[in-house]
């Protein structure tokens, strides 16, 4: 229905709860067929944003369009699967019954709903638990049952709110593989998380939100490339004499904005360093200066920061800016 277009378009969306602005003039676009992460710390506005996309709550301002122009709600619902952060299973129902029941609510014939439910239980490693009551399953098993219920009608757009919460590493891997399978089948997966390691392993596009405000969005590869271009270099010096020759250059704030020991450095003191370049300085200029001072190097590498490092830096910067905007005495 929406091949080659947008799965989600959020434009200028704001949501208030009393005096609290949970989401503040947020806009972003999710291309069809990608895995897209909405990232942020707890309380950032991630769940509120996903609930507005899924028509659980309405925005006070702004618009949401799904799958090439559908409005959230009855028009889009047949094409959307939603896994909420607060799980909604009937504890007395058996696992297969629960999944099949959700399929029937989505319009599937009972036989088809049961067949698909059995296939999902098999895929998620729960086939032997099909006749156990939901209340007798572990938290991780219940989460996988709810995931199967979310996917039972084969939605075009899959929205997952904190899907890895409470999963052990093995089940987290299973869910990550299933999400990739959904993308390979042509579906769009939009999920929220505060777990940067999970997001970095699976996302193509990300949107970072903090204190209800957009901090950053775009292709993850482009964001990491841009962060690397901002100028951090890992150095390993050959010997103490090289550190002495390099010291005047490293102390030059026109060349190096900051110098710190490399994380987990195992060489002698001061021999493994991470350098943040001064504004307008590229790595080649630093390398040329070091070579000109006869500094012997074992390593000179432009650092590509992890998503976790980018997240901490950008969210910390946004938190500081927000604090600066608050009136004195406000919390």
């Amino acid at each position: 229905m929406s091949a080659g277009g947008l799965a989600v378009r959020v434009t200028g969306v704001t949501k208030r709860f009393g005096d609290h602005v949970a989401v503040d003039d947020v806009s972003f676009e999710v291309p069809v067929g990608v895995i897209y992460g909405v990232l942020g710390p707890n309380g950032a506005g991630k769940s509120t944003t996903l609930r507005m996309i899924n028509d659980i709550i309405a925005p006070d301002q702004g618009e949401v369009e799904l799958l090439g122009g559908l409005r959230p709600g009855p028009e889009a619902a047949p094409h959307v699967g939603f896994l909420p952060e607060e799980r909604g299973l009937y504890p007395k129902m058996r696992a297969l019954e629960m999944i099949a029941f959700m399929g029937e609510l989505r319009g599937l014939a009972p036989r088809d709903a049961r067949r698909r439910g059995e296939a999902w239980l098999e895929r998620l490693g729960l086939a032997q638990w099909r006749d156990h009551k939901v209340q007798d399953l572990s938290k991780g098993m219940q989460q996988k049952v709810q995931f199967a219920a979310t996917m039972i009608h084969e939605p075009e757009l899959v929205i997952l709110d904190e899907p890895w919460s409470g999963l052990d590493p093995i089940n987290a891997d299973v869910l990550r593989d299933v999400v990739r399978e959904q993308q390979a089948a042509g579906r769009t997966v939009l999920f929220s998380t505060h777990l940067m390691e999970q997001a970095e392993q699976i996302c193509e596009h990300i949107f970072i939100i903090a204190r209800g405000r957009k901090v950053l969005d775009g292709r993850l590869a482009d964001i990491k490339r841009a962060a690397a271009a901002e100028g951090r270099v890992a150095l390993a010096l050959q010997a103490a004499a090289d550190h002495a020759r390099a010291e005047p250059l490293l102390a030059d704030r026109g060349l190096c904005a900051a110098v710190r020991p490399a994380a987990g450095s195992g060489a002698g003191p001061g021999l493994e360093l991470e350098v943040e370049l001064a504004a307008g300085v590229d790595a080649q200029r630093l390398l040329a200066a070091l070579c000109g001072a006869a500094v012997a190097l074992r390593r000179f590498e432009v650092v590509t920061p992890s998503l976790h490092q980018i997240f901490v830096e950008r969210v910390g910067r946004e938190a500081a800016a927000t604090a600066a905007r608050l009136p004195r005495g406000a919390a």
Side-chain angles (χ1 to χ4, degrees), residues 214-233:
K214 179 167 81 172
V215 174
L216 186 67
D217 72 331
R219 287 178 51 86
L220 179 57
D222 294 339
I223 289 169
K224 294 186 72 172
R225 192 177 302 115
E230 289 177 2
R232 292 188 182 181
V233 173

Side-chain angles (χ1 to χ4, degrees), residues 2-322:
S2 51
L6 293 177
V8 179
R9 186 200 303 271
V10 175
T11 307
V13 163
T14 295
K15 183 63 184 179
R16 301 178 181 87
F17 297 100
D19 294 333
H20 175 63
V21 182
V23 176
D24 188 0
D25 192 25
V26 159
S27 300
F28 62 93
E29 296 179 346
V30 180
V32 167
V34 305
I35 301 174
Y36 192 104
V38 177
L39 316 178
N42 293 327
K46 302 187 301 297
S47 292
T48 299
T49 300
L50 296 191
R51 288 168 185 159
M52 288 189 286
I53 292 171
N54 205 47
D55 196 43
I56 295 172
I57 56 177
D60 298 321
Q61 297 169 223
E63 293 184 347
V64 177
E65 293 182 3
L66 305 179
L67 300 168
L70 300 180
R71 296 295 179 185
E75 186 179 32
H79 310 284
V80 178
F82 180 55
L83 175 71
E85 185 177 11
E86 301 85 9
R87 310 307 182 219
L89 301 173
Y90 295 106
K92 300 292 185 182
M93 291 187 76
R94 301 182 189 281
L96 178 56
E97 292 174 342
M98 180 75 244
I99 298 168
F101 173 66
M102 295 303 293
E104 291 182 49
L105 290 180
R106 291 291 195 171
L108 298 180
R111 180 177 296 180
D112 287 341
R114 188 174 183 87
R115 175 180 55 80
R116 292 188 188 185
E118 288 174 339
W120 270 110
L121 287 171
E122 183 70 34
R123 174 62 188 90
L124 296 172
L126 294 177
Q128 67 272 34
W129 298 91
R130 52 180 279 173
D131 295 323
H132 286 69
K133 292 181 179 180
V134 168
Q135 66 185 14
D136 296 331
L137 303 179
S138 70
K139 182 179 178 181
M141 290 178 180
Q142 291 181 22
Q143 194 155 338
K144 291 200 286 185
V145 168
Q146 179 124 13
F147 182 82
T150 299
M151 300 301 306
I152 189 71
H153 61 300
E154 299 180 352
E156 267 188 86
L157 172 62
V158 183
I159 302 174
L160 311 174
D161 194 359
E162 295 285 359
W164 281 277
S165 177
L167 291 181
D168 61 64
I170 293 175
N171 282 317
D173 287 345
V174 170
L175 181 57
R176 190 164 52 246
D177 289 344
V178 172
V179 166
R180 290 194 181 104
E181 290 169 8
Q182 298 313 303
Q183 183 197 24
R187 299 185 176 93
T188 304
V189 181
L190 171 65
F191 71 89
S192 72
T193 186
H194 62 279
L195 303 174
M196 296 304 109
E197 295 81 3
Q198 292 289 355
E200 185 158 20
Q201 290 180 49
I202 199 170
C203 286
E204 299 162 273
H205 297 247
I206 63 167
F207 168 85
I208 296 179
I209 185 171
R211 299 176 183 259
R213 299 168 65 94
K214 179 167 81 172
V215 174
L216 186 67
D217 72 331
R219 287 178 51 86
L220 179 57
D222 294 339
I223 289 169
K224 294 186 72 172
R225 192 177 302 115
E230 289 177 2
R232 292 188 182 181
V233 173
L235 294 179
L237 307 176
Q238 192 70 40
D242 296 297
H243 183 275
R245 284 189 285 270
E247 199 163 14
L249 298 173
L250 299 177
D252 180 357
R253 290 299 168 255
L255 189 63
C256 303
V259 180
R260 61 186 65 89
S265 57
L271 296 187
E272 293 189 5
L273 304 167
E274 185 173 289
V275 177
E276 181 180 335
L277 298 174
V281 175
D282 63 18
Q284 291 300 318
R285 180 174 162 188
L286 175 61
L287 179 60
L290 292 169
C291 292
V295 177
L297 300 170
R298 289 186 294 109
R299 179 189 180 200
F300 185 94
E301 179 183 356
V302 176
V303 175
T304 299
S306 68
L307 178 56
H308 175 81
Q309 290 170 317
I310 295 170
F311 176 82
V312 168
E313 180 179 339
R314 298 302 294 265
V315 169
R317 188 185 305 166
E318 170 63 21
T322 300

